[in-house]
Amino acid sequence: MLNMNFDERVVINTNQQEWVPSPAGGVLRKPLAREEAERGHATSVVRYEPGASFNRHEHPLGEEILVLEGVFSDETGDYPAGTYLRNPPGSGHAPFSREGCTLLVKLHQFDPRDLKTVRVDTRTTPWLPGQGGLQVMPLHDFEHEHVALVKWPAGERFQPHRHFGGEEIFVLSGEFRDEHGRYPAGTWLRSPHMGQHHPFVEQETVIWVKTGHLPVAHSPS
C-alpha cells in the first residue's frame, strides 16, 4: 500500500517523481496513493503517449479524471485539457489518446450511491465569486463531498480553517502556500479529517480541491 493512512498529511511534488510503466504499453503513471497494484483505491498522475490505449475495463467504485494536458478520449468523446470527468460506479470504457495526454486520475473512491456521470469543460465554465477575492468553479457535490477549482488572486490570504472529512489539493498553476510550505504547480496535497492550515498565495494560483471525502475514523496504514 502507498499513502493509505488517511490520518497522515501527504505532500508530493509530482515534478520530482519518475514515470512508472503501467500494464498498457505507452501508458505511464506517477502513483500518489494506492491500495493494491492494479485494483482498489488509487490516485495517480497518468500519461498516455501519442497513440496509446487501454483495454476496456470497469470501474466498480467509479473513476474521476482531470485532463491536465493534451486530449483524452474514449468511446464517449474527446476531452481536451481542462476537462473534468466522473465515470460512476459500475461504468466502463476503453480509453485512448491520439496525440497524448496527462491526467490526474482517482479510482475506486466514490460513494456507491453517487451515480451521476459528469463532464465539465473548465475552459468555458464561468467562475463564481468565493470568499474574499477567491473565485470558485464547482465541479461536483455529493452529500459531504465537494469538488471545485479555486482561483486565488495574487496576494490573497485565507483565514485558518479545518475541513471535516479532510482536504485534497492539486496545484494547477502558480504556487500555493501555507504555514507548512510552498507548493508549486504539479504538487498534490492531502490533509486528514480536521487538519488545519492557513493558506495564502503570492502570485495568481489555480488549484483543484476536494473536501469532505476522507475517512473520519482511523484508517490502517
Side-chain angles (χ1 to χ4, degrees):
M1 291 195 293
L2 173 68
N3 293 326
M4 290 298 292
N5 182 349
F6 298 108
D7 292 335
E8 293 182 347
R9 182 173 182 269
V10 182
V11 178
I12 298 176
N13 183 344
T14 66
N15 302 300
Q16 299 173 349
Q17 288 182 291
E18 299 293 329
W19 291 104
V20 178
S22 80
V27 181
L28 307 172
R29 295 186 290 215
K30 293 182 177 182
L32 305 175
R34 183 166 292 275
E35 186 175 4
E36 295 184 42
E38 295 302 329
R39 67 178 192 176
H41 179 116
T43 299
S44 310
V45 176
V46 178
R47 186 178 80 192
Y48 281 67
E49 295 179 342
S53 62
F54 226 102
N55 291 335
R56 180 176 174 84
H57 55 278
E58 312 301 315
H59 298 294
L61 278 180
E63 176 185 52
E64 183 176 15
I65 294 172
L66 180 64
V67 184
L68 303 174
E69 298 175 353
V71 179
F72 174 75
S73 302
D74 63 15
E75 57 268 48
T76 67
D78 300 319
Y79 304 105
T83 307
Y84 175 74
L85 307 97
R86 291 178 73 96
N87 297 316
S91 64
H93 64 163
F96 60 94
S97 181
R98 298 180 187 90
E99 67 178 57
C101 64
T102 305
L103 318 169
L104 175 67
V105 180
K106 297 177 67 62
L107 299 173
H108 207 80
Q109 299 176 41
F110 284 26
D111 186 300
R113 299 167 297 149
D114 185 0
L115 298 174
K116 184 178 180 181
T117 298
V118 176
R119 303 284 187 267
V120 179
D121 185 347
T122 67
R123 303 169 304 168
T124 58
T125 301
W127 292 96
L128 304 178
Q131 296 188 45
L134 299 182
Q135 292 181 282
V136 180
M137 185 186 299
L139 299 175
H140 184 68
D141 293 288
F142 182 79
E143 294 187 352
H144 51 279
E145 179 180 319
H146 306 283
V147 189
L149 297 188
V150 181
K151 183 188 291 185
W152 294 64
E156 184 72 12
R157 301 184 71 90
F158 202 75
Q159 67 267 29
H161 61 280
R162 299 179 185 272
H163 288 288
F164 186 92
E167 178 185 51
E168 192 169 346
I169 289 171
F170 193 87
V171 184
L172 297 174
S173 64
E175 183 184 66
F176 188 67
R177 298 187 62 184
D178 63 15
E179 69 272 34
H180 305 298
R182 309 168 72 112
Y183 316 107
T187 302
W188 177 73
L189 305 90
R190 193 184 68 201
S191 300
H193 169 62
M194 299 309 290
Q196 179 173 310
H197 70 155
H198 187 186
F200 62 97
V201 300
E202 293 181 345
Q203 58 184 283
E204 182 178 276
T205 298
V206 178
I207 62 174
W208 172 92
V209 60
K210 176 187 286 206
T211 60
H213 62 299
L214 298 177
V216 172
H218 175 77
S219 298
S221 58

